[in-house]
Each structure stands twice: as structure tokens, then as C-alpha cells.
Amino acid sequence: IGAYEEKNVATPHLDRLAREGVLFRHAYTPAALCGPARASILTGKYPHAHGLKRNVYFSEPGGVNTNYRDVIPDPFRDPRFRLWENFVYHLNNAGYTTGAIGKWHLGPGNPGFFDYFKSFNSLLRHWIGEPHKSRWRPDVHADDSLHFIEQAASRPWFLQLSFYAPHEPLDPPKDWLDKYPGRDHREYYATVSNLDMNVGRVVERLRQRGALDNTMVIVTADHGRPWVERPGTVEGIGVGYEDVIRVPLIIRYPRLFRPGLRWGAGVTTADLMPTILDAANITLNQGLANDREFTPSIHARSLVTELRGEDRWSRPIVVENVPQRGIDGSYYEERVLRTERHKLILRKFEIRPTLRPGELYDLTADSGETSNLYAREPALVKDLARQLGQWGETHQDPLAVELAGWAGR
């Protein structure tokens, strides 16, 4: 995205949103995998709490480690997962008309809190029919979004518009591909520019209706992807490196967020759940107004409140991963701790020894994460492990506590 200093791609509409809103320079996904990341955005909780650690499919899921091996037709009604405490449910119960268009990756159907649902789990092709002889699906989804806005305009509304592209197979329309002749990754850039155009169409409709400044517009992604080989992955997901876990996050809502702000401190996309409810003035309080009343706990915090304070890293950011591919012959589960300068990656393997030396990077001196300092900086490892352990205790994550205890010995 141009607003993130990417010079090789044209994204004028996203860049304008960034100028008119807040751009978060260090936003991170709670998990570098589609379904778990989306579940965390919905619930404000990390995967160890909401339970969804892998992708779900309602047909044969295949043998990839990042997919559940069993068929899961509806994760919202599966007792292994705790997804019902989510912001869309609360918006819908507060009178908002709710819609979902595009990739959902939390089951094939409407869980019940969307009034309009034109979404799919995953793996739907980017072309409606024969490639380049039919309609490009992202264009169709933008059309659907314009229709939803017109139909819902008389009431408060929420829309999740989730473009599947850019995602393999990258086969964008030829007129977009022609904008990047001879470029490396031209298919990717062309798809991003098309996405930018469709975002611009939706924003312009809001502007025309005089509703833009009264609408919170959020642009983000579930995860990134690397252009270089990374251990533990096949498709560039499920690992804790910056090019995978750092995602764009732009929020335009001048009523609460100062236009043109560039926020440098670390945030997580799980923060969107309390942020949206805070902006809508909706609380999580439930139950009767007596000793049976309760407020569900979440891990995230509202960015409305966050941005009223000082722009500094007041908390570490944690990412929870399972890999697509094993390392040294074994799968594992991973915790990543990111501070303003450093990153610690710790893993618990399925095969003994289950606890092994991890990875440590100085991101100020080594932004590409090519020099592992774990063996050379034992004091720093111990300090970062202490922070991970504190995070694990606070957020009731036994694996974070276990890994931190081992690394901090």
C-alpha cells in the first residue's frame, strides 16, 4: 500500500483514507492464519481462548497442518470453539443491520447474527465463471456492498467486506495487469490496485450520501505473506516473521480519530472488537442487574482509549501460531513476543526435545530477521521471556507461561 511507503503499487484510494484517518505503523495479527485471525478480530480474544487454532472446512480439509483434520460445518456450534461473544453479535442485538460479503473462513453459512450474508468459507475462485470471460469476483462483491449500503441506509449498519484477492491463484483482469509491465510480482500488485479501486467505490458512495464522516471505515488484513523462504511454512502463513504477522491497519472516523495521525506503538487487530463497540457506545455487560450480572473478559483494548494517550509501546504484542510445515522433523506450536525493538520466537515441538532454543531478532538493526541472536544474548532472552510469562499469566495462556519459564531459566 502506498501509504505504507510501498513504491511499486498504486493505491490512491487507500492512501487517501490514510491521510484522512489514522495509519497504524505496527499493527499485528493475533495469528498468522486466516480463520484464527478472523476469530480474534471478532471476539477480541487470542486463539488459545476462543479455541480456533486452525482453519476450518466443511468438506475434505486435506492434510495441511494448519487445517483441522475433521470436517467442521459450523464452528459457532462446535463446543471446541468459543466464538459467540463477538462484536457483530452485540451490534446486531443493539439494532444494527449487519452484513457480510466475501471471504469469511469461519464456516460456510450465516451463524445467525448477519441480516445479509453473501459470504463463503474459502477457496471460491476469483472469477465467477471462465477466467477473463466472466466477471471478476471482487468487482461483484463491491457491487453487492453498494447495494447493501443503499438498503441499510435508514438504520445504523455494519458491513464486513472481505476481498479474497490478493490470494493465489493470482490471475487479475488483463487491464489491471497491464498497469505493471515487466514488474516482479506484477500479478500481486495488479490485484491490490484493483482492490484499491473497489474500496474507493464504496467510500465514494458513502461520500455521495453524506454518510462518510459518520461511518467508521477500517482497512486491515488477516495476515501478510513473505517474498522469501521462511521455515515452517509452505504458502507464507503460520509463522512469526514481520512480513507475515505485520498487517495494514487504517481507521477513518473523524469523530474519534484525528485525521493524518501516524501511530507508531504496537497494536493487534484483536483490538478492533472493543474499538468498534466503544465507538458504537455498546457495552459487553450481560445478565441481570444483580449478582448474576457479568462482563465477558477479552484480551484486547479499545483503540479509542489507546489513542488518547501517549504514542509509546506500553505493552508487548503476542502472536500465536501453528505451522504449515515442521522444523527439524517436527510440528510445533509457537508464541511470538514483539516489543518496540526486539522479537522473541519460542516453540513447543511435538517430538522430543519438545522445548528447544528459539529465535531472537533486533528489528532496529536487522529488519529482515536474518541474524538470530538467541544464543548470543541470554540476558535479553531472559527479559523477553519474563514479559511473555507475565502476558501468559494475565491472559491465562499456559503455553506462553511454559515456554517463558523454560527460556527464562
mmCIF file of all heavy atoms in Angstrom, residues 127 129-135:
data_model
loop_
_atom_site.group_PDB
_atom_site.id
_atom_site.type_symbol
_atom_site.label_atom_id
_atom_site.label_comp_id
_atom_site.label_asym_id
_atom_site.label_seq_id
_atom_site.Cartn_x
_atom_site.Cartn_y
_atom_site.Cartn_z
ATOM 1 N N TRP A 127 -12.801 -15.671 -10.319
ATOM 2 C CA TRP A 127 -13.656 -15.376 -11.457
ATOM 3 C C TRP A 127 -14.995 -16.086 -11.269
ATOM 4 O O TRP A 127 -15.040 -17.229 -10.827
ATOM 5 C CB TRP A 127 -13.004 -15.817 -12.763
ATOM 6 C CG TRP A 127 -11.786 -15.010 -13.121
ATOM 7 C CD1 TRP A 127 -10.487 -15.290 -12.800
ATOM 8 C CD2 TRP A 127 -11.760 -13.782 -13.850
ATOM 9 N NE1 TRP A 127 -9.647 -14.314 -13.274
ATOM 10 C CE2 TRP A 127 -10.409 -13.368 -13.943
ATOM 11 C CE3 TRP A 127 -12.741 -12.982 -14.449
ATOM 12 C CZ2 TRP A 127 -10.021 -12.206 -14.595
ATOM 13 C CZ3 TRP A 127 -12.348 -11.825 -15.105
ATOM 14 C CH2 TRP A 127 -11.009 -11.442 -15.175
ATOM 15 N N GLY A 129 -16.999 -17.176 -13.552
ATOM 16 C CA GLY A 129 -17.056 -18.288 -14.499
ATOM 17 C C GLY A 129 -15.686 -18.514 -15.104
ATOM 18 O O GLY A 129 -14.674 -18.569 -14.391
ATOM 19 N N GLU A 130 -15.648 -18.605 -16.426
ATOM 20 C CA GLU A 130 -14.377 -18.829 -17.105
ATOM 21 C C GLU A 130 -13.471 -17.614 -16.926
ATOM 22 O O GLU A 130 -13.893 -16.476 -17.138
ATOM 23 C CB GLU A 130 -14.614 -19.087 -18.589
ATOM 24 C CG GLU A 130 -13.351 -19.439 -19.358
ATOM 25 C CD GLU A 130 -13.612 -19.745 -20.815
ATOM 26 O OE1 GLU A 130 -14.798 -19.869 -21.194
ATOM 27 O OE2 GLU A 130 -12.625 -19.834 -21.584
ATOM 28 N N PRO A 131 -12.206 -17.820 -16.528
ATOM 29 C CA PRO A 131 -11.309 -16.678 -16.315
ATOM 30 C C PRO A 131 -11.211 -15.778 -17.536
ATOM 31 O O PRO A 131 -11.095 -16.249 -18.668
ATOM 32 C CB PRO A 131 -9.970 -17.352 -15.993
ATOM 33 C CG PRO A 131 -10.345 -18.672 -15.398
ATOM 34 C CD PRO A 131 -11.577 -19.099 -16.148
ATOM 35 N N HIS A 132 -11.316 -14.468 -17.280
ATOM 36 C CA HIS A 132 -11.171 -13.424 -18.287
ATOM 37 C C HIS A 132 -12.316 -13.392 -19.299
ATOM 38 O O HIS A 132 -12.290 -12.592 -20.232
ATOM 39 C CB HIS A 132 -9.827 -13.541 -19.022
ATOM 40 C CG HIS A 132 -8.657 -13.491 -18.091
ATOM 41 N ND1 HIS A 132 -8.169 -12.324 -17.546
ATOM 42 C CD2 HIS A 132 -7.882 -14.492 -17.574
ATOM 43 C CE1 HIS A 132 -7.155 -12.591 -16.746
ATOM 44 N NE2 HIS A 132 -6.949 -13.902 -16.737
ATOM 45 N N LYS A 133 -13.317 -14.251 -19.092
ATOM 46 C CA LYS A 133 -14.515 -14.204 -19.936
ATOM 47 C C LYS A 133 -15.773 -14.060 -19.083
ATOM 48 O O LYS A 133 -16.883 -14.186 -19.602
ATOM 49 C CB LYS A 133 -14.602 -15.454 -20.812
ATOM 50 C CG LYS A 133 -13.487 -15.550 -21.847
ATOM 51 C CD LYS A 133 -13.668 -16.764 -22.741
ATOM 52 C CE LYS A 133 -12.549 -16.829 -23.783
ATOM 53 N NZ LYS A 133 -12.719 -18.007 -24.680
ATOM 54 N N SER A 134 -15.576 -13.843 -17.804
ATOM 55 C CA SER A 134 -16.686 -13.662 -16.874
ATOM 56 C C SER A 134 -16.333 -12.507 -15.940
ATOM 57 O O SER A 134 -15.314 -11.840 -16.122
ATOM 58 C CB SER A 134 -16.950 -14.950 -16.089
ATOM 59 O OG SER A 134 -15.786 -15.328 -15.354
ATOM 60 N N ARG A 135 -17.126 -12.293 -14.917
ATOM 61 C CA ARG A 135 -16.879 -11.173 -14.017
ATOM 62 C C ARG A 135 -15.859 -11.548 -12.939
ATOM 63 O O ARG A 135 -15.839 -12.683 -12.442
ATOM 64 C CB ARG A 135 -18.178 -10.715 -13.351
ATOM 65 C CG ARG A 135 -19.182 -10.107 -14.317
ATOM 66 C CD ARG A 135 -20.126 -9.180 -13.598
ATOM 67 N NE ARG A 135 -19.445 -8.001 -13.083
ATOM 68 C CZ ARG A 135 -19.950 -7.194 -12.166
ATOM 69 N NH1 ARG A 135 -21.147 -7.427 -11.653
ATOM 70 N NH2 ARG A 135 -19.266 -6.144 -11.737
#
